[in-house]
Amino acid sequence: MVCEQDPLVRKIRDLYERISSLSSLKPSEDVNTLFTQLVVACIPPSLVDVTKLCKDIQDMRSKLIRLCGEAEGHLEAHFSTILASHENPLRHLDIFPYYTNYLKLSQLEFDILTKHCPNVPNRVAFVGSGPLPLTSIVLASFHLTTTTFDNYDIDPLANSKAIQLVSSDPDLSRRMSFHTTNIFDVTHALKEYDVVFLAALVGMDKDEKVKVIDHLAKHMNPGAILMLRSAHGARAFLYPVVDPCDLRGFEVLSIFHPTDEVINSVVIARKSPLEKHSTVQQPLGPMKLPDKFFDIEMFNPLLNHVNLMEELDLEEHLSSNPF
């Protein structure tokens, strides 16, 4: 059981207390400093297993993830407003301090997607696109240059800000649309997508995340790809963790744990060919493999592509390990 005697946990606890005492999480010197310290503390490889934290620290982690989500939302809205003040917002994306991270993450996700989905997808959905939909923009601009992107967010203001960013671009304004709706209200439309991306902060805790995944499993087309963002080690203090056993109705293909400043792990899964989906004791989930298969760090930040020699490929592992 990992509790407050662990130096890293003590540091994160201290930062949590300081962050939670702030009067606002909108960008400011104090907010920027504290969250930078938090991210720096969580990035290095760590043996911390968040499933083995004592209850007090588990509760703190859950609250911290929500604070991170709120602060991230404010940060994206702030920079989306600044970008919209430019005549051509997409030419100035590099003013966002984490733009390079998004370039790296999108490259990683594209490489993973290409390996498991060799055909260029016609339609992609991004669930939880937010006011600064950088993943969709980067993928549409540099990687999936003929694909149509449907972006879903529950916040009308977020979508309004996002639309302002792409409206001046003739190509992206034609291929990208924004829908203000709760994803639970989207059913038949989900069958139209070859690939669905699920943002890290859609479903802020395990139960919420699993409900969203179950909904996608119920309505996505068999064979369609689901790409999710997760977290590993101490990075799980910043974002929710998606375990393979959470992906009922999907076949988990691969899991990637970056080791550089890109925070999120990437999970790729394929909708099972079974037409019927139920959340009540249906053996639709992937085989639960020993934890060692999910602890490999796969992404070499010195390369612009996935090192396939180090890839954790569950599809191949399952095919060669019937038990």
Side-chain angles (χ1 to χ4, degrees), residues 129-141:
S129 48
L132 187 59
L134 283 177
T135 298
S136 290
I137 290 173
V138 171
L139 287 173
S141 299

Side-chain angles (χ1 to χ4, degrees), residues 16-313:
Y16 160 74
E17 291 175 350
R18 294 163 66 187
I19 289 170
S20 60
S21 69
L22 294 170
S23 58
S24 170
L25 294 179
K26 293 182 179 180
S28 67
E29 184 176 349
D30 287 342
V31 170
N32 298 345
T33 298
L34 288 174
F35 277 101
T36 297
Q37 291 175 2
L38 178 64
V39 170
V40 169
C42 293
I43 280 182
S46 169
L47 296 178
V48 169
D49 182 349
V50 294
T51 65
K52 297 179 181 179
L53 298 173
C54 60
K55 185 180 184 305
D56 182 49
I57 302 301
Q58 288 277 19
D59 292 342
M60 180 272 291
R61 171 180 170 261
S62 296
K63 294 174 184 176
L64 182 58
I65 288 174
R66 292 185 181 275
L67 291 172
C68 290
E70 182 181 347
E72 186 172 314
H74 287 311
L75 183 70
E76 291 186 359
H78 174 74
F79 277 95
S80 184
T81 299
I82 294 174
L83 285 165
S85 67
H86 293 275
E87 183 176 354
N88 296 294
L90 300 187
R91 296 181 182 178
H92 303 276
L93 293 177
D94 58 356
I95 69 172
F96 183 63
Y98 301 107
Y99 179 58
T100 300
N101 292 31
Y102 275 92
L103 290 175
K104 291 181 178 180
L105 179 57
S106 297
Q107 179 71 61
L108 172 60
E109 290 177 324
F110 174 71
D111 288 337
I112 297 169
L113 177 63
T114 301
K115 181 178 186 300
H116 294 283
C117 182
N119 297 323
V120 176
N122 291 318
R123 295 192 67 182
V124 167
F126 195 97
V127 180
S129 48
L132 187 59
L134 283 177
T135 298
S136 290
I137 290 173
V138 171
L139 287 173
S141 299
F142 303 116
H143 303 298
L144 301 175
T145 57
T146 61
T147 301
T148 298
F149 286 76
D150 286 344
N151 299 279
Y152 291 91
D153 201 284
I154 199 171
D155 183 359
L157 182 58
N159 277 335
S160 176
K161 287 179 176 292
I163 290 170
Q164 292 181 59
L165 299 183
V166 302
S167 60
S168 62
D169 186 279
D171 177 39
L172 292 194
S173 61
R174 177 180 57 85
R175 291 192 292 122
M176 294 183 68
S177 60
F178 296 87
H179 308 272
T180 302
T181 184
N182 189 316
I183 195 59
F184 290 112
D185 295 327
V186 182
T187 54
H188 298 298
L190 288 170
K191 292 188 179 299
E192 301 174 5
Y193 301 112
D194 305 301
V195 181
V196 175
F197 284 82
L198 182 62
L201 294 173
V202 175
M204 298 287 280
D205 61 27
K206 176 72 73 176
D207 290 341
E208 293 175 6
K209 183 76 73 175
V210 168
K211 286 179 182 177
V212 176
I213 293 171
D214 284 342
H215 176 77
L216 296 175
K218 182 178 180 181
H219 296 288
M220 284 174 61
N221 216 31
I225 294 292
L226 175 63
M227 298 201 70
L228 313 92
R229 291 170 181 176
S230 182
H232 184 66
R235 301 170 186 219
F237 283 100
L238 307 174
Y239 290 101
V241 174
V242 177
D243 292 314
C245 59
D246 299 331
L247 289 157
R248 295 176 291 193
F250 291 92
E251 174 193 5
V252 180
L253 302 176
S254 297
I255 300 174
F256 295 79
H257 299 310
T259 58
D260 64 347
E261 67 271 18
V262 175
I263 302 297
N264 293 116
S265 300
V266 178
V267 181
I268 182 170
R270 180 182 290 121
K271 170 68 187 297
S272 299
L274 300 175
E275 289 292 341
K276 294 184 179 180
H277 173 74
S278 171
T279 59
V280 182
Q281 297 192 358
Q282 288 285 343
L284 298 178
M287 182 183 295
K288 176 61 174 172
L289 299 178
D291 287 344
K292 65 180 180 180
F293 292 112
F294 305 105
D295 290 338
I296 302 173
E297 295 165 340
M298 267 75 63
F299 185 52
N300 185 339
L302 300 179
L303 302 178
N304 290 324
H305 60 277
V306 177
N307 183 348
L308 297 180
M309 294 300 293
E310 297 181 351
E311 179 184 352
L312 169 62
D313 193 323

